[in-house]
Amino acid sequence: MHVFVTGGTGTIGTAVVTELVTAGHAVSALARSDVSAARLTASGATPVPGSLSDLDVLRAGAAAADGVVSLAFADDYDSAEGLQAAIRQESAAMEALGSALVDTDRPFVVVSGTPWIAGRAAVESDPLPLEGPVAGRARSVLAALALADRGVRVSAIRLPRTVHADGAGGFAGILTETARRSGVAGHPGDGEQRWPAVHARDAAVLFRLALESAPAGSVWHAVDDEGDRVIDIVRVIGRRLGLPVERVADDTFGPFGPIFAMDQPASSAHTRSALGWTPTHPRLLADLEALRP
């Protein structure tokens, strides 16, 4: 299968491109810089020059492919306004990609986050929240899933708050980066809130499985750790970096502050059973042991 990928050089995207190439798929991937293009070429993919805002490039890339994986999301924001701009950009890109696949029955795999459900772990049948700082992403995913009625074999992978590799990535990565800058391994709230997590290489396998076989309109959870306590995450970070562990204000983490403070465990029992997905890589707390001061 020839697969067009956006976001192919991030923590998740790098693992997805490698997984697809290793499985024998031909991959072309959006590259917004020479550095990204070189990384993609080294991984066995064909770079396609352009950015997430180049909608004609996205449509052409999708139209020429047998399937599409949408992973790109801007990472150059530090405010609530910047986050909303990134969500709008992602929404327009997903619409452009999906429009090129209408009436083709080709697979289109999109990404969102796991929802938070009061009092229990979220499951695949739970709805995404339509209120809050990332509600725009939920609306984008719902619009993409609606393409199932227009001849697109679309599916959604819900990623947990931390997708990690070699001690880096996701919300835990933001905790680590903030700790390095501030000199304190800080946690929002009392630290008892739980965050789900998955290793990037395990998530990549699920993206491949969805691309190859997931039915139209289906939703899957890429979750290995159902819910690590934030205090446990921060204690590992503090120990590895040699920093004190302290409670800090929610706004320390900018636009993610309200999300960081929430208890949000998630289950992947249905995903494992239906698609035969079995994570095999280190879980988050073990992976964080790779951190160096």
Side-chain angles (χ1 to χ4, degrees), residues 99-174:
S99 68
L101 301 175
V102 170
D103 293 329
T104 66
D105 197 35
R106 296 174 187 168
F108 180 30
V109 185
V110 301
V111 64
S112 71
T114 52
W116 50 89
I117 305 297
R120 63 171 174 81
V123 298
E124 292 85 345
S125 59
D126 286 322
L128 293 173
L130 295 178
E131 296 182 0
V134 293
R137 296 199 81 184
R139 287 187 283 271
S140 298
V141 171
L142 291 175
L145 288 171
L147 292 171
D149 295 328
R150 301 180 62 194
V152 182
R153 186 164 64 79
V154 60
S155 59
I157 305 292
R158 292 176 174 176
L159 292 172
R161 298 298 174 256
T162 296
V163 181
H164 57 94
D166 304 318
F171 278 14
I174 295 175

Side-chain angles (χ1 to χ4, degrees), residues 154-245:
V154 60
S155 59
I157 305 292
R158 292 176 174 176
L159 292 172
R161 298 298 174 256
T162 296
V163 181
H164 57 94
D166 304 318
F171 278 14
I174 295 175
L175 291 178
T176 300
E177 293 164 7
T178 303
R180 290 187 190 278
R181 289 195 304 269
S182 67
V184 172
H187 58 87
D190 61 10
E192 292 297 318
Q193 67 270 39
R194 295 162 293 171
W195 292 353
V198 68
H199 197 286
R201 290 193 283 278
D202 286 321
V205 173
L206 183 56
F207 276 93
R208 176 181 58 78
L209 292 172
L211 186 79
E212 293 173 345
S213 62
S218 57
V219 174
W220 311 98
H221 277 191
V223 172
D224 187 10
D225 303 45
E226 184 170 296
D228 294 310
R229 293 192 312 162
V230 172
I231 188 64
D232 294 330
I233 298 170
V234 173
R235 283 171 177 162
V236 176
I237 293 170
R239 175 169 53 79
R240 296 301 301 167
L241 300 185
L243 297 174
V245 174

Side-chain angles (χ1 to χ4, degrees), residues 10-78:
T11 299
I12 306 164
T14 296
V16 169
V17 168
T18 299
E19 174 69 21
L20 293 175
V21 170
T22 302
H25 297 294
V27 177
S28 59
L30 193 68
R32 63 178 180 178
S33 70
D34 291 342
V35 172
S36 293
R39 290 178 63 184
L40 290 167
T41 299
S43 69
T46 300
V48 177
S51 71
L52 200 60
S53 60
D54 295 326
L55 301 185
D56 288 341
V57 173
L58 299 183
R59 293 187 192 96
D66 300 312
V68 175
V69 178
S70 172
L71 292 170
F73 190 78
D75 59 2
D76 54 352
Y77 52 83
D78 57 6

